[in-house]
Short mmCIF file of all heavy atoms in Angstrom, two decimals:
data_model
loop_
_atom_site.label_atom_id
_atom_site.label_comp_id
_atom_site.label_asym_id
_atom_site.label_seq_id
_atom_site.Cartn_x
_atom_site.Cartn_y
_atom_site.Cartn_z
N GLU A 122 12.60 -15.49 -11.47
CA GLU A 122 13.73 -15.69 -10.58
C GLU A 122 13.54 -14.95 -9.25
O GLU A 122 14.06 -15.37 -8.21
CB GLU A 122 15.04 -15.24 -11.26
CG GLU A 122 15.15 -13.75 -11.51
CD GLU A 122 14.46 -13.28 -12.79
OE1 GLU A 122 13.62 -14.01 -13.33
OE2 GLU A 122 14.80 -12.17 -13.24
N VAL A 123 12.79 -13.86 -9.27
CA VAL A 123 12.52 -13.13 -8.03
C VAL A 123 11.59 -13.96 -7.14
O VAL A 123 11.82 -14.11 -5.93
CB VAL A 123 11.92 -11.75 -8.33
CG1 VAL A 123 11.47 -11.06 -7.03
CG2 VAL A 123 12.94 -10.88 -9.05
N ILE A 124 10.54 -14.50 -7.74
CA ILE A 124 9.62 -15.35 -6.98
C ILE A 124 10.35 -16.57 -6.43
O ILE A 124 10.17 -16.95 -5.27
CB ILE A 124 8.43 -15.77 -7.86
CG1 ILE A 124 7.60 -14.53 -8.25
CG2 ILE A 124 7.55 -16.78 -7.12
CD1 ILE A 124 6.48 -14.81 -9.22
N GLU A 125 11.21 -17.17 -7.24
CA GLU A 125 11.98 -18.33 -6.79
C GLU A 125 12.87 -17.97 -5.61
O GLU A 125 13.02 -18.76 -4.66
CB GLU A 125 12.82 -18.87 -7.94
CG GLU A 125 12.00 -19.55 -9.04
CD GLU A 125 12.81 -19.80 -10.30
OE1 GLU A 125 14.03 -19.57 -10.26
OE2 GLU A 125 12.21 -20.21 -11.31
N THR A 126 13.46 -16.78 -5.64
CA THR A 126 14.31 -16.34 -4.53
C THR A 126 13.51 -16.15 -3.26
O THR A 126 13.94 -16.54 -2.16
CB THR A 126 15.03 -15.03 -4.90
OG1 THR A 126 15.87 -15.27 -6.03
CG2 THR A 126 15.88 -14.52 -3.74
N LEU A 127 12.33 -15.57 -3.38
CA LEU A 127 11.48 -15.37 -2.20
C LEU A 127 11.07 -16.72 -1.61
O LEU A 127 11.04 -16.89 -0.38
CB LEU A 127 10.25 -14.54 -2.56
CG LEU A 127 10.53 -13.11 -3.05
CD1 LEU A 127 9.22 -12.38 -3.31
CD2 LEU A 127 11.38 -12.33 -2.06
N ILE A 128 10.75 -17.68 -2.47
CA ILE A 128 10.40 -19.02 -1.99
C ILE A 128 11.59 -19.65 -1.28
O ILE A 128 11.45 -20.27 -0.21
CB ILE A 128 9.93 -19.90 -3.16
CG1 ILE A 128 8.61 -19.35 -3.73
CG2 ILE A 128 9.77 -21.35 -2.72
CD1 ILE A 128 8.20 -20.00 -5.04
N ARG A 129 12.78 -19.48 -1.85
CA ARG A 129 13.99 -20.04 -1.24
C ARG A 129 14.24 -19.39 0.13
O ARG A 129 14.61 -20.07 1.10
CB ARG A 129 15.20 -19.82 -2.15
CG ARG A 129 16.43 -20.60 -1.76
CD ARG A 129 17.47 -20.55 -2.85
NE ARG A 129 16.97 -21.09 -4.10
CZ ARG A 129 16.77 -20.37 -5.22
NH1 ARG A 129 17.04 -19.09 -5.23
NH2 ARG A 129 16.31 -20.94 -6.30
N MET A 130 14.01 -18.10 0.24
CA MET A 130 14.23 -17.41 1.51
C MET A 130 13.15 -17.78 2.53
O MET A 130 13.39 -17.74 3.75
CB MET A 130 14.29 -15.90 1.30
CG MET A 130 15.46 -15.46 0.43
SD MET A 130 15.73 -13.67 0.38
CE MET A 130 16.66 -13.46 1.91
N LYS A 131 12.00 -18.18 2.04
CA LYS A 131 10.98 -18.73 2.95
C LYS A 131 11.49 -20.06 3.52
O LYS A 131 11.36 -20.31 4.74
CB LYS A 131 9.66 -18.93 2.21
CG LYS A 131 8.57 -19.57 3.06
CD LYS A 131 7.30 -19.82 2.26
CE LYS A 131 6.28 -20.56 3.10
NZ LYS A 131 5.04 -20.87 2.35
N GLU A 132 12.06 -20.88 2.68
CA GLU A 132 12.61 -22.17 3.13
C GLU A 132 13.74 -21.95 4.14
O GLU A 132 13.95 -22.77 5.04
CB GLU A 132 13.10 -22.97 1.94
CG GLU A 132 11.98 -23.40 0.99
CD GLU A 132 12.49 -23.95 -0.33
OE1 GLU A 132 13.73 -23.84 -0.58
OE2 GLU A 132 11.68 -24.46 -1.12
N GLU A 133 14.46 -20.85 3.99
CA GLU A 133 15.55 -20.52 4.90
C GLU A 133 15.05 -19.92 6.22
O GLU A 133 15.84 -19.68 7.14
CB GLU A 133 16.50 -19.52 4.23
CG GLU A 133 17.22 -20.07 3.01
CD GLU A 133 17.91 -18.98 2.19
OE1 GLU A 133 17.91 -17.80 2.63
OE2 GLU A 133 18.44 -19.30 1.12
N GLY A 134 13.75 -19.65 6.30
CA GLY A 134 13.19 -19.09 7.52
C GLY A 134 13.24 -17.59 7.63
O GLY A 134 12.93 -17.03 8.68
N LYS A 135 13.56 -16.91 6.53
CA LYS A 135 13.66 -15.45 6.56
C LYS A 135 12.37 -14.76 6.14
O LYS A 135 12.20 -13.56 6.37
CB LYS A 135 14.82 -14.99 5.66
CG LYS A 135 16.17 -15.47 6.17
CD LYS A 135 17.31 -15.02 5.30
CE LYS A 135 18.64 -15.50 5.89
NZ LYS A 135 19.80 -15.06 5.09
N ILE A 136 11.47 -15.51 5.52
CA ILE A 136 10.16 -15.02 5.10
C ILE A 136 9.12 -16.06 5.53
O ILE A 136 9.35 -17.26 5.36
CB ILE A 136 10.10 -14.84 3.56
CG1 ILE A 136 11.08 -13.77 3.09
CG2 ILE A 136 8.68 -14.50 3.10
CD1 ILE A 136 11.23 -13.71 1.57
N ALA A 137 8.02 -15.59 6.07
CA ALA A 137 6.96 -16.53 6.46
C ALA A 137 6.00 -16.81 5.31
O ALA A 137 5.57 -17.94 5.12
CB ALA A 137 6.19 -15.99 7.66
N HIS A 138 5.67 -15.76 4.54
CA HIS A 138 4.68 -15.92 3.46
C HIS A 138 5.10 -15.07 2.26
O HIS A 138 5.53 -13.92 2.42
CB HIS A 138 3.29 -15.50 3.93
CG HIS A 138 2.81 -16.25 5.13
ND1 HIS A 138 2.31 -17.54 5.06
CD2 HIS A 138 2.79 -15.91 6.45
CE1 HIS A 138 1.99 -17.95 6.28
NE2 HIS A 138 2.28 -16.99 7.14
N VAL A 139 4.93 -15.63 1.07
CA VAL A 139 5.27 -14.93 -0.17
C VAL A 139 4.00 -14.34 -0.78
O VAL A 139 2.95 -15.00 -0.81
CB VAL A 139 5.94 -15.89 -1.17
CG1 VAL A 139 6.18 -15.20 -2.52
CG2 VAL A 139 7.24 -16.42 -0.59
N GLY A 140 4.10 -13.09 -1.23
CA GLY A 140 2.93 -12.42 -1.78
C GLY A 140 3.19 -11.71 -3.09
O GLY A 140 4.32 -11.70 -3.60
N LEU A 141 2.15 -11.12 -3.62
CA LEU A 141 2.20 -10.37 -4.88
C LEU A 141 1.39 -9.10 -4.75
O LEU A 141 0.21 -9.13 -4.38
CB LEU A 141 1.65 -11.22 -6.03
CG LEU A 141 1.46 -10.50 -7.37
CD1 LEU A 141 2.80 -10.04 -7.94
CD2 LEU A 141 0.74 -11.41 -8.38
N SER A 142 2.03 -7.99 -5.05
CA SER A 142 1.37 -6.68 -5.07
C SER A 142 1.26 -6.23 -6.52
O SER A 142 2.26 -6.23 -7.24
CB SER A 142 2.22 -5.69 -4.26
OG SER A 142 1.80 -4.37 -4.47
N SER A 143 0.05 -5.84 -6.96
CA SER A 143 -0.11 -5.51 -8.38
C SER A 143 -1.29 -4.59 -8.64
O SER A 143 -2.27 -4.59 -7.90
CB SER A 143 -0.28 -6.79 -9.20
OG SER A 143 -0.38 -6.49 -10.59
N HIS A 144 -1.17 -3.84 -9.73
CA HIS A 144 -2.27 -3.01 -10.24
C HIS A 144 -2.98 -3.69 -11.40
O HIS A 144 -3.88 -3.10 -12.00
CB HIS A 144 -1.73 -1.65 -10.72
CG HIS A 144 -1.10 -0.82 -9.66
ND1 HIS A 144 -0.70 0.49 -9.89
CD2 HIS A 144 -0.80 -1.07 -8.36
CE1 HIS A 144 -0.18 0.99 -8.78
NE2 HIS A 144 -0.22 0.06 -7.85
#
Side-chain angles (χ1 to χ4, degrees):
E122 68 277 17
V123 173
I124 296 174
E125 289 167 7
T126 298
L127 297 183
I128 294 169
R129 192 169 301 114
M130 296 190 82
K131 177 183 175 182
E132 294 168 351
E133 295 168 5
K135 296 180 178 181
I136 297 171
H138 303 282
V139 175
L141 171 64
S142 167
S143 182
H144 297 187

